Amino acid sequence: MDAIWLTGAEWLAVLRIGLGVWWLESWRHKDKKSWFEGAGISWAADVAAKHRWNAVRSGFEAVVTPRPRTMAYVVLYAEFALGLGLILGFVTPVALVGGLLLNVLYFTLMIHDWGEQGQNSMMALISVVALFGMSWQSWSVDSALGLF
């Protein structure tokens, strides 16, 4: 594989790290206090209640609505863990698959919002490319430890 300036594996590491920064920024810009008080989940519940697909409405009601505080922690700490895991390249395949699943969930919930659709589809695409390109081969804890 020919590449300019960096090797192909290093460019994939740049892509992985950039995705990690994107996840970390998603976590950083949230008002944690209001999220833990229920604002983020309330907003998502409002979106889910108006969703065109019954499966999304009923799934949200069954999984998220009974435990809003727990779900707020899950969302916030998942984004934080994904960001750090991808930036450091630690258990990278797990982080990439987890991020891909979270993007699919966000994409599905926000089916009416074009901005969210673009962001989540691009993050999902980067996850797939980084996963199948084995982006943990360079500049990663996984590589240093001989994992994967």
Side-chain angles (χ1 to χ4, degrees), residues 122-138:
M122 288 301 98
M123 291 176 82
L125 176 62
I126 293 168
S127 292
V128 169
V129 170
L131 180 65
F132 289 108
M134 297 171 46
S135 63
W136 53 90
Q137 295 177 75
S138 289

Side-chain angles (χ1 to χ4, degrees), residues 30-88:
K30 285 181 172 62
D31 179 352
K32 285 22 155 229
K33 185 175 187 268
S34 67
W35 260 80
F36 292 136
E37 291 171 355
I41 298 302
S42 294
W43 168 78
D46 185 53
V47 171
K50 299 173 188 168
H51 205 280
R52 68 174 81 158
W53 297 334
N54 186 46
V56 172
R57 289 191 305 272
S58 60
F60 196 94
E61 285 294 319
V63 176
V64 180
T65 301
R67 49 191 80 74
R69 187 167 174 85
T70 301
M71 290 294 116
Y73 277 93
V74 167
V75 168
L76 287 169
Y77 288 115
E79 289 181 356
F80 181 73
L82 288 169
L84 283 183
L86 292 171
I87 290 168
L88 298 173

Side-chain angles (χ1 to χ4, degrees), residues 72-142:
Y73 277 93
V74 167
V75 168
L76 287 169
Y77 288 115
E79 289 181 356
F80 181 73
L82 288 169
L84 283 183
L86 292 171
I87 290 168
L88 298 173
F90 184 64
V91 292
T92 309
V94 175
L96 289 167
V97 170
L100 178 61
L101 292 173
L102 195 54
N103 282 128
V104 169
L105 286 172
Y106 289 174
F107 185 92
T108 304
L109 178 63
M110 299 303 296
I111 199 78
H112 300 93
D113 185 329
W114 289 103
E116 285 288 328
Q117 293 297 312
Q119 172 176 308
N120 287 295
S121 61
M122 288 301 98
M123 291 176 82
L125 176 62
I126 293 168
S127 292
V128 169
V129 170
L131 180 65
F132 289 108
M134 297 171 46
S135 63
W136 53 90
Q137 295 177 75
S138 289
W139 305 341
S140 72
V141 173
D142 293 340

